Amino acid sequence: MIDITKYNNENIFAKILRGEIPCDKILDNKDVLVFKDINPQAPLHILIIPKKKYCSLYDFSKNADPLTIASIFRAIDQVINSLGIKNGFRLICNTGEDGCQEVPHLHFHILAGKKLGKIISD
Ligand code: AMP
């Protein structure tokens, strides 16, 4: 079980942000990094992360300033436009244990490129 109560600098996305491990970058600005998921679950599977240290959506929603919160959604818009995603997509933010969050640095998934089916499969 991951700990999302205290930021862990050794999580994999922190290492990507520090340049210690590579990623397939799509967008990089002062607030946000966007890159391809290493284990894609759809033809397009992209991760959006804030550069500041937030463990989860709980942490982000409570503690991030409004400009940082907006920067995530602006980045999503940019990515959707630059990749020409016109037929829809799914935005996911797995949070905590029941949400099956694996990496304790806030991230949003964008899934696209095919009809994605139901949100939860049994
Ligand atoms: P979550 O279950 O929401 O925490 O999702 C974590 C996601 O990070 C998974 O979809 C993984 O495939 C992805 N992931 C893990 N390590 C890497 C990496 N080095 N580069 C890109 N994506 C990664």
Side-chain angles (χ1 to χ4, degrees), residues 77-92:
D77 180 60
Q78 262 183 278
V79 167
I80 294 303
N81 288 319
S82 68
L83 297 180
I85 300 173
K86 291 191 172 34
N87 212 35
F89 64 94
R90 183 167 290 157
L91 182 66
I92 295 172

Side-chain angles (χ1 to χ4, degrees), residues 12-13 16 21-23 35-41 45 47 93-94 99-103 107 109:
I12 195 112
F13 294 167
I16 287 176
I21 38 179
C23 70
F35 52 98
K36 289 190 181 165
D37 196 292
I38 206 167
N39 182 23
Q41 303 298 309
H45 186 168
L47 298 171
C93 183
N94 296 323
C100 299
Q101 181 179 353
E102 288 169 7
V103 179
H107 52 283
H109 300 250

Side-chain angles (χ1 to χ4, degrees), residues 90 116-122:
R90 183 167 290 157
L116 294 161
K118 290 183 183 174
I119 292 178
I120 294 175
S121 59
D122 299 321

Side-chain angles (χ1 to χ4, degrees), residues 4-42:
I4 56 163
T5 60
K6 189 167 157 279
Y7 192 81
N8 176 353
N9 284 306
E10 294 313 305
N11 79 73
I12 195 112
F13 294 167
K15 290 180 181 176
I16 287 176
L17 283 167
R18 291 196 296 268
E20 292 168 10
I21 38 179
C23 70
D24 195 345
K25 214 176 270 190
I26 291 179
L27 184 154
D28 185 0
N29 66 30
K30 74 176 178 42
D31 297 311
V32 180
L33 180 66
V34 181
F35 52 98
K36 289 190 181 165
D37 196 292
I38 206 167
N39 182 23
Q41 303 298 309

Side-chain angles (χ1 to χ4, degrees), residues 40-67:
Q41 303 298 309
L44 265 174
H45 186 168
I46 291 157
L47 298 171
I48 294 122
I49 67 173
K51 288 195 171 171
K52 289 183 189 157
K53 299 173 180 181
Y54 298 102
C55 303
S56 71
L57 191 60
Y58 289 127
D59 185 14
F60 189 68
S61 309
K62 270 197 193 66
N63 300 315
D65 63 86
L67 284 177

